[in-house]
């Protein structure tokens, strides 16, 4: 399998119909409209976040809105659609409840195992002030 890197990872809905079909699924679009309380949506990006098994790769604690370049992160959301099972054992996504209420400081980690594009990371001292993380296991087709 060819590794997706650089620009090949992003805006896949523009070049791949099957990705466009996922991100424009009527059920998904309806939920996003409801959460954002709007009828007007823009699909800014779509990409693969691949965490290969039995590797040192990891996703550091971060907030997507910090790096989206949008004036207000309140009007932006990330809908993560599982293409394969994402169990607690395999390292599913975790959330810190209420952490979306404000943008936290980030730094760009130089850790080569950080899978994020620029290693965006919330400093440990800021993580200590958040509620305990909650796991969000997903089956293929489910969304968080």
């Amino acid at each position: 399998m060819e590794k997706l890197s650089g620009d090949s990872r992003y805006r896949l809905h523009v070049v791949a119909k099957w990705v466009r079909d996922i991100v424009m699924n009527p059920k998904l679009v309806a939920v996003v409209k409801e959460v954002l309380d709007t009828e007007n949506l823009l699909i800014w990006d779509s990409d693969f976040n691949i965490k290969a098994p039995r590797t040192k790769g990891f996703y550091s604690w971060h907030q997507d809105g910090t790096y989206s370049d949008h004036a207000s992160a309140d009007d932006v959301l990330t809908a993560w659609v599982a293409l394969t099972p994402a169990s607690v054992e395999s390292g599913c996504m975790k959330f810190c409840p209420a952490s979306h209420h404000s943008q936290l400081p980030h730094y760009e980690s130089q850790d080569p195992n950080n899978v994020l594009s620029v290693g965006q990371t919330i400093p440990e001292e800021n993580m200590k002030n958040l509620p305990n993380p909650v796991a969000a296991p997903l089956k293929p087709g489910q969304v968080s």
Side-chain angles (χ1 to χ4, degrees):
M1 174 194 248
E2 181 181 334
K3 182 177 179 181
L4 292 172
S5 61
D7 291 340
S8 298
R9 284 183 53 196
Y10 304 102
R11 294 190 176 81
L12 295 172
H13 65 284
V14 175
V15 296
K17 182 183 181 315
W18 71 270
V19 176
R20 190 167 42 259
D21 290 345
I22 292 172
V23 300
M24 297 181 74
N25 178 288
K27 288 181 182 179
L28 178 59
V29 170
V31 169
V32 171
K33 285 180 176 181
E34 183 179 337
V35 169
L36 293 177
D37 191 28
T38 186
E39 286 297 311
N40 300 309
L41 297 179
L42 170 67
I43 301 169
W44 182 254
D45 196 9
S46 57
D47 62 277
F48 287 115
N49 287 303
I50 301 167
K51 186 175 76 170
R54 295 175 294 285
T55 65
K56 294 180 180 181
F58 70 94
Y59 288 89
S60 57
W61 285 107
H62 69 283
Q63 294 171 301
D64 290 345
T66 301
Y67 285 80
S68 69
D69 288 332
H70 296 284
S72 170
D74 294 337
D75 298 331
V76 178
L77 67 75
T78 299
W80 182 57
V81 180
L83 300 179
T84 59
S87 64
V88 172
E89 298 77 24
S90 67
C92 65
M93 186 172 305
K94 294 180 182 177
F95 298 90
C96 290
S99 63
H100 65 287
H101 291 298
S102 65
Q103 286 302 121
L104 299 169
H106 286 65
Y107 69 95
E108 294 180 3
S109 165
Q110 301 303 311
D111 189 323
N113 294 313
N114 193 333
V115 181
L116 293 168
S117 59
V118 294
Q120 55 267 40
T121 303
I122 297 172
E124 184 63 35
E125 61 269 15
N126 295 96
M127 291 300 300
K128 290 177 185 177
N129 299 325
L130 296 174
N132 289 331
V134 175
L138 297 175
K139 296 176 184 172
Q142 290 184 315
V143 180
S144 67

